[in-house]
Structure formats: structure tokens, C-alpha cells
């Protein structure tokens, strides 16, 4: 389940909740840009007993696109064998996907900011979604979040 939202400072965000457990989810928020070549944003993971946030994930215009990865998962709603994965250039956000019977896809969202730094940390959550319409809605909402012009 996905829900576009506005937070208190009126910046757009997207929340993705697991259909099996609504307390598990991912939020994309606090989007900003310094130039036309990149988009910076925060990613928050939450689950019972876990809250993790990476404040400055970067999407570069020349990198492989998270939205294209999500859209391909939606297009393949009948499922596929094995695991598919995507990550940012800096490897601070990674997503892996597996299909299960019944037309569902599990997205494991992993944060690992500063992966080369001593004392770095990592966290992940898995959101289960309907592989067709829900996955398509997630892809569309993430695309809008990453490409929307700032006010």
C-alpha cells in the first residue's frame, strides 16, 4: 500500500506500507536539489522496534533509475524466478525483490549510509505488496516524488 503525503513543512513524500503488517514501511521524504544533475532525499525505514533514516540519498540523472526498476516489477506482475535488485551509485539505498505465489512481491529496502566508513550501520525492512496495481501505484508515486518540480 502506498500513500503520497505532505508533511508539516509542505514538502511531498511517499509512504509504502507492507500489506501484511502496516507497521512495517518505507518513507521517501525531504526531497531537494542542488543542480539539474541530481535529486537528494531522505529514506526512513520503520518496523516494530526499528526506526532508521538516511538523510541524503542521491539519485543522479545518469544512474539506473529506481522508478524504472519498480515499473518493471509492476509490468512483470505474474512474477519471475529469483531475486532482482537495484541500488544507488553510492550503495546507501538498495532494493531487492522476490515474488511469491498469489501475485505478491516482497521488496526489501536496505539502508547503509556511509558504507565505507568505520562504524557505519545498516538496516532493512521488507514490504509485501500486490504485484500488479499496488506495485504500479508505488512506481508512479516514487516517480512523481523524484521528478516533481520543487515549489
Amino acid at each position: 500500500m502506498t500513500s503520497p503525503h505532505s508533511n508539516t513543512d509542505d514538502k511531498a513524500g511517499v509512504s509504502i506500507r507492507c500489506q501484511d503488517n502496516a507497521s512495517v514501511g518505507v518513507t521517501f521524504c525531504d526531497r531537494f536539489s542542488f543542480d539539474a544533475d541530481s535529486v537528494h532525499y531522505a529514506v526512513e525505514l520503520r518496523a516494530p522496534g526499528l526506526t532508521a533514516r538516511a538523510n541524503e540519498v542521491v539519485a543522479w540523472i545518469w544512474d539506473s533509475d529506481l522508478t524504472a526498476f519498480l515499473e518493471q516489477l509492476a509490468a512483470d506482475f505474474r512474477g519471475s524466478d529469483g531475486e532482482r535488485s537495484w541500488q544507488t551509485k553510492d550503495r546507501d539505498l538498495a532494493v531487492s525483490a522476490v515474488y511469491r505465489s498469489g501475485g505478491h512481491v516482497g521488496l526489501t529496502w536496505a539502508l547503509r549510509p556511509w558504507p565505507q566508513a568505520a562504524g557505519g550501520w545498516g538496516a532493512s525492512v521488507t514490504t509485501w505488496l500486490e504485484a500488479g496495481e499496488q506495485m504500479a501505484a508505488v512506481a508512479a508515486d516514487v516517480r512523481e516524488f523524484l521528478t516533481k518540480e520543487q515549489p
Side-chain angles (χ1 to χ4, degrees):
M1 174 182 307
T2 180
S3 61
H5 68 274
S6 293
N7 58 23
T8 55
D9 62 3
D10 202 33
K11 291 185 181 178
V14 174
S15 290
I16 302 162
R17 291 188 310 268
C18 179
Q19 72 175 20
D20 293 350
N21 182 347
S23 66
V24 176
V26 178
T27 300
F28 291 77
C29 56
D30 300 337
R31 180 188 181 282
F32 65 97
S33 294
F34 292 116
D35 54 40
D37 293 332
S38 64
V39 173
H40 301 248
Y41 55 96
V43 177
E44 299 174 350
L45 306 180
R46 67 192 171 289
L50 171 73
T51 302
R53 178 180 167 111
N55 284 321
E56 197 170 331
V57 176
V58 180
W60 298 95
I61 60 167
W62 57 82
D63 277 345
S64 66
D65 186 4
L66 173 59
T67 56
F69 175 75
L70 297 173
E71 288 166 347
Q72 186 61 51
L73 293 173
D76 295 341
F77 66 92
R78 295 195 199 302
S80 68
D81 293 331
E83 181 178 281
R84 297 183 191 184
S85 61
W86 173 90
Q87 65 183 6
T88 61
K89 179 181 182 289
D90 298 329
R91 296 181 299 203
D92 48 359
L93 171 63
V95 183
S96 60
V98 294
Y99 291 90
R100 73 177 176 195
S101 62
H104 295 92
V105 62
L107 298 174
T108 299
W109 306 86
L111 291 178
R112 187 168 164 82
W114 319 288
Q116 305 304 319
W121 59 270
S124 65
V125 298
T126 299
T127 55
W128 286 96
L129 304 171
E130 184 269 327
E133 292 300 317
Q134 276 187 335
M135 193 66 240
V138 165
D141 290 346
V142 171
R143 177 173 294 285
E144 182 178 349
F145 172 76
L146 291 175
T147 60
K148 189 173 185 176
E149 290 294 321
Q150 294 187 44

